[in-house]
Amino acid sequence: MGDRIVAVYGSSRALPGDGVYEEGVELGRRLVEAGFGVTNGGYSGLMEAVSKGAAIAGGRVVGVTAPVLFPHRPGGNGFLTEEIQAAGLLDRIRTMSELASAFIVMPGSIGTLTELMIAWNDAYLAAGRGAAPMPILAFGDAWSEIVDRLTGELRTTAGLVTMVDSPAEAVEVLRRRLGDGAR
């Protein structure tokens, strides 16, 4: 189960009991139930929440940590089935991108924005060369505003980032676009 991996990006600051944290747990669980594994940055917040939901459902959870960037963090969260240590930020994002068949962007800050922009740029370049871009789904008003504004101002291909409102909707969109998670 979980041969195909979905990269999930989001805040390291979400706490258990927060609505967004609980959405992360639900998302991880639903992804595994649909046959997908997950990858994320491997630390706390939404990374932990998605990892927890995926682990509870018995799925593959790959955390791509970056000890050089975060020396104060003791290691990956306790729900990872695998940990890959990256040499730095770009290596971390590259590793998650190489593992992924799709991307889901939950609420976050500048790191999450960076991850969204790299996935979006890769999708734009794929479309420009006639390849099918990987699905990118994003939750939240902030991402909606950014995507809408940049799509127009930068004249990027519309529709490369799909806005979703819930974990259930995100998984349904992925199922429609990718089938179930098994290859």
Side-chain angles (χ1 to χ4, degrees):
M1 193 177 214
D3 289 331
R4 283 203 276 179
I5 302 288
V6 176
V8 182
Y9 302 131
S11 173
S12 64
R13 296 184 182 128
L15 297 171
D18 289 351
V20 70
Y21 184 97
E22 299 311 321
E23 278 189 323
V25 173
E26 180 185 351
L27 178 62
R29 177 185 56 78
R30 286 181 178 271
L31 286 167
V32 169
E33 289 171 352
F36 296 98
V38 299
T39 187
N40 61 52
Y43 291 116
S44 61
L46 287 172
M47 296 171 278
E48 177 185 276
V50 170
S51 298
K52 179 179 180 179
I56 287 170
R60 181 179 179 198
V61 185
V62 182
V64 183
T65 59
V68 169
L69 295 177
F70 305 107
H72 60 285
R73 294 180 180 172
N77 68 65
F79 300 103
L80 304 178
T81 59
E82 301 169 52
E83 181 178 356
I84 298 170
Q85 292 188 351
L89 179 64
L90 295 178
D91 185 45
R92 183 183 193 205
I93 294 170
R94 180 189 54 77
T95 300
M96 286 186 283
S97 295
E98 288 174 351
L99 290 169
S101 296
F103 304 91
I104 297 178
V105 185
M106 296 188 77
S109 189
I110 193 76
T112 308
L113 175 61
T114 302
E115 292 159 337
L116 168 60
M117 296 308 293
I118 290 173
W120 192 2
N121 191 62
D122 284 348
Y124 179 76
L125 293 172
R129 65 179 182 274
M134 284 194 270
I136 305 167
L137 313 178
F139 287 72
D141 293 338
W143 300 140
S144 180
E145 291 174 21
I146 289 168
V147 169
D148 288 346
R149 183 171 182 163
L150 291 179
T151 296
E153 287 188 21
L154 301 179
R155 298 185 201 133
T156 66
T157 306
L160 292 175
V161 179
T162 302
M163 299 308 301
V164 294
D165 293 321
S166 68
E169 182 183 5
V171 172
E172 182 54 37
V173 169
L174 286 183
R175 279 184 160 157
R176 282 196 312 266
R177 297 197 45 199
L178 297 175
D180 69 25
R183 288 184 196 243

